[in-house]
Each structure stands twice: as structure tokens, then as C-alpha cells.
Amino acid sequence: MSDTSNFETEVLRRRTFAIISHPDAGKTTLTEKLIWHGGVIREAGEVKGKSGTKSATSDWMTLERQRGISITSSVLQFDHHGLRVNLLDTPGHKDFSEDTYRTLVAADSAVMLIDVAKGVEERTKKLYEVCRYRNIPIFTFINKCDREGKAPLELIDEVESTLRMNCYPITWPVGLGGQFAGLYHRLKKELMVYSGKYVGDEPLEIVPLSGIGDPWLESRVRPEVLAQAREEIELIDGTLGEFSIEKFRAGELSPLTFGSAKQNFGVDTFLDIFCDYAPPPGEREAKGAVVQPLDRAFTGFVFKIQANMDRRHRDRIAFIRICSGRFERGMKVHHMRLDREIRLAFSSQFVAQERETVDVAYAGDIVGVGDTGHFQIGDSVVAGTRVEFEDIPKFTPELFARVTVSDAMKRQKLQKALKHLSEEGAIQLFIDPAVGRQDPVLGVVGELQFEVLLFRLEDEYGLEGAKIARLPLAVARWPRTSAGAPVESLAGHFTLYRDHNEQPVILLEKEWDLNWVKKENPNVEFFTSIQAARQTRPQLNAQTELGER
Ligand code: G4P
């Protein structure tokens, strides 16, 4: 195969996606089963770490393990049906929604996981809005069919009305909970019989369409359950036409499938559907350019920075989403923000517990490169071209504090630690120009971020006894003229803080104060961070501004 056709084949077989869900819907369980089908793990339980003895792949931080929550994101890679699938793990906890948002920026599609009993929950709605904003195609997986739940038609109605997106059921459950008898595949016209126990790689019992009226089947499933499923399937078949891949790729139609992640039932079917429809890497907007994945010049951006992933090495990894071209270990790239050449010396991908060295990667892939302090979230790296990707906007923080250490000798160390952690996106720093960088105001979106911060200051930087002093602030706004230019002075007595980009920002106690400032400065507009970053781009549904609460 020629080099060009090999390159194209490699790029076009990449499928990069993330799972979005409300906590407890079964994301960890589904991830585990997906990578089991991908042949990455052999034993169920290798990923699950909440109550088991083995640590979850992504739960590498001690605190995560103690709290039983998945805070950070990692990337899992496996091959299926000739495709190279990259699954980006996302944290479930709402305090880390910004992390999830950044991860979705790196994905080409998403799977919305819904608990059959709970339906569309709050976190799912917010994450869904992020996907819509980016027009990412969305698959829907209705989980926990081995448990009692809402009637499937009711659920679909709920998804369609709350999320304003049409669904296209490809499978349909016959009964739920104690009556769950299997999944009917509408396109293949066969029923996969659920035997009520872990399926694993045992062959499934498949019954053809006619089998639904089969006396053998009727002897196993209560007639009214079978009759109802038949009625529902007829109704759907009669109403829905052909699946439209165009509508799916435009984010307007979601292929929907049912299953039980825990019982590993329906997961392989989902994976097949995913492989049939998921898009390869798409084009990416850059400042003044559109980057195509098949462009030969390497481009990528940093969407995540993670310190201390491997406690034995005490290192920091920058995760780069490759947008075009081919990555080679050790290659020299141009760091656009710093305007200098750097070498991407050490690179890795993460497969279950193991970190594997990567020599070559292609558009669509994620590589983790060693970072000695050069990278910030949103940085672009390129080779043989000069393009800069759009900045990844930060969420508007709502909780503010200063951090103190009693030992004056440790202040400098604290300053350095805070800088690192802000580059990672774990916190935001606001500098009062009159005070300087030694005593920044910290902003976060959720309470747990402060807790994690204190833990990490002690654990990773040896800053024992650091204390959080909460500030009575709750509102951050970026003052701009109506044309979008930053405003350097305002009527009234305010500190104009500086954000990470040196942009002026005001921090206020309450919304009421903001109204007052607005009255005093009628020609100034006050934007949330995402609005400020995205003024020229279409706005989201105002109530759901990318998960800002
Ligand atoms: P999350 O990552 O989305 O937060 O969810 P996770 O996979 O941890 O699953 C949350 C709980 O739901 C777990 O129960 C898990 O076993 C259960 N679960 C996931 N998928 C299914 C399913 O298809 N059917 C049923 N019945 N349960 C499912 P747990 O009690 O917290 O943990 P465990 O003791 O079962 O491991």
C-alpha cells in the first residue's frame, strides 16, 4: 500500500467518542464492557473500581478512590471491526463539568447513556447541550433493562421532548426487569434472547422475526409482554422510515439502542451500531482556517493536562487531540502560543491500567505527551503549517477563595503550584494588578474542586497545612464594549482583575451588584467567560450555558 493510501486508511478508520451521562447511569460499567469487547481487558472488573478491589482505569488519584468518584478523564483505545476506537472517559461529578466539556471538544461523537428507570436526568441534559452546541452526532443507549423502568415509548417521548432531538430505535426491548426477555433488532429482524445471566462471549440465542409468535418463545415469556412488544415494534416500524445518516451526522437524529451494561447484554449490538454509523475525524475550525483531517501537515491542540498520572514518575501529561496529519514520537512541532519549536519527545496512550509508548498516531487520535511546563489548555501544536485552533472557553466560576500557607518559606512553592494547577484547568486564577501574582484569587465551578485542590497541594507539592479562605464573591463577568473589545475602566469602585489571558474581569458578591454595575456603565456589556470567548459564535440555549449553573 502506498504511503498516501495508508495514511488515508489510518485516519479514516479512527472513531473518537465520549460517553455522557448522569452519575450512576452505568458509564463505568459500559466502558468496562466496551473495552472488554474491544479485547483490551480479559476480566470483567478490571475497570470498575468503586467497590471492587481493582482500581478503575481512570480513577488513578487516591482521592478519587477514597471518594469513589471519577474526577479525571483518560483515553482508552481499542480495535473493533477494523476501526480504531478512541473512548474518552469523562468525569461524572458535576463539579468537574468543565473537564467533561473540554473532553467533548476532542470527541467526534458521543453516546448518551440513560438509566431506563430514571430517564433524562439533569447532568445528561447539560452535557447534551454541549454536544448540540458542537453539532456532535449522538448515540443513545438505554441502560439497565434488566431492571424495572419506564415504558420504552414513554422514554423515547421524554428524550425527544426534553432534548428536542429525534430518536431512531434500532433495538427494542421485549419486557423489562423481571420480564426482560431480550432485544429485538429492527434492522436485522431478529430477537436476541436474554437468558437472565451474564452473557459474556457465549453465543446468543437468536430468534427470527417470526419467532416472536413462536410457541417456544411464548412458553418462556408472558404472552402479554410479548404481545405488547409486538404491538410497539409494529407501531415503530409503521411510523419510522429509513435511518438518515445525514440527520444523524448533523446531530438531529439519534440511533437508539437498549441493553444492560451490567449483564453485558446489548453492548456488542451497540458497538456494532456505533461502528456502522460513527463519523471519522471531522474538519476543525481554526482561526482563519479550516483544518481537514486528511491534510498531511500535523496539527493538534491540548485539551487536557494531567499532573502526576503515574506516581512512580511524578510527571505531567498534556493530552493532544490530533486534528490532521500524522504524529511521530520525537517530532519537532511549533508551539503557536509560545512561538517556538518544541520536541514531542515522549508520548503515550492509555490502555486499561497500562500506559503504552506510541510511536505513530493519526488525526482523530489522542496522544499524551510529557510536559515540562510548556503547555496550557487550548494550546495549538503544528508541523509544516501555521494554524491556531479556537481557544477552549473556560466556565464562569461561582466560588472564590484565596489559599494561604502559614510557612512563609513555602509561599513561592504555593505560587508555582497554583500556576501549574491553573494551566491544567483545575482552578482559575484572577490577579489583582495592585497585588500581583503572589496572592491570586482562585475561582472554581464546584465545591469539590477546592477539596481536590487542597489534597493535591499536599500530596503532589508537599504543601501541608494549606488553607482555603473563602471570599464572599459569586459572580465573575468580563466587561466588553458592544463590539467585543475588552474594557479597561469602569464607572464605580472596582478592582479589575486579570484572567489567564490578561483579560479584565470583575468579581462581585451577588447578581444584584451586577445590575448596579450595569446601570452605572450603560455602554458596557458584561459577559460570562464563555460568552466573552464566543461572542462571534452562535450562543447556546441561554439557560444551559455549557453547564454553567
Ligand atoms: P457511573 O459510572 O455512571 O456512575 O455508573 P456505574 O457504572 O458505576 O454504575 C452505577 C451502578 O449501577 C452500579 O451499581 C452498577 O453495577 C449498576 N449498573 C450499571 N449498569 C447496570 C445494568 O445494566 N443493570 C443493573 N441492574 N445495574 C447496572 P453499584 O451497586 O453502585 O455497584 P456494584 O456493587 O453493582 O458494582
Side-chain angles (χ1 to χ4, degrees), residues 21-30 48 50-51 113 143-147 259-263:
S21 63
H22 195 83
D24 265 354
K27 185 161 62 66
T28 316
T29 315
L30 180 64
K48 188 88 177 95
K50 282 185 184 172
S51 48
L113 181 66
N143 192 27
K144 306 196 186 181
C145 288
D146 58 318
R147 281 198 190 159
S260 163
K262 187 169 181 171
Q263 307 300 336

Side-chain angles (χ1 to χ4, degrees), residues 4 7-9 11-12 281 291-297 323-325 363:
T4 305
F7 167 73
E8 287 186 5
T9 310
V11 172
L12 296 175
V291 172
Q292 300 294 340
L294 291 176
D295 291 347
R296 289 306 289 251
C323 299
S324 66

Side-chain angles (χ1 to χ4, degrees), residues 103-120:
T103 300
L104 286 170
V105 173
D108 296 309
S109 62
V111 177
M112 180 167 70
L113 181 66
I114 292 176
D115 182 325
V116 70
K118 304 229 172 99
V120 181

Side-chain angles (χ1 to χ4, degrees), residues 7 291-302 319-329 331-336 342-344 360-367 369 375 379-389:
F7 167 73
V291 172
Q292 300 294 340
L294 291 176
D295 291 347
R296 289 306 289 251
F298 166 84
T299 65
F301 64 86
V302 175
F319 287 90
I320 296 172
R321 152 80 199 211
I322 306 174
C323 299
S324 66
R326 186 178 128 115
F327 164 92
E328 277 172 34
R329 187 155 63 97
M331 77 191 291
K332 266 197 188 153
V333 294
H334 192 79
H335 187 308
M336 293 295 289
I342 55 166
R343 190 182 286 278
L344 301 179
V360 176
Y362 294 87
D365 282 338
I366 311 295
V367 285
V369 299
F375 288 118
D379 278 348
S380 302
V381 282
V382 299
T385 181
R386 289 284 184 277
V387 287
E388 199 163 6
F389 292 98

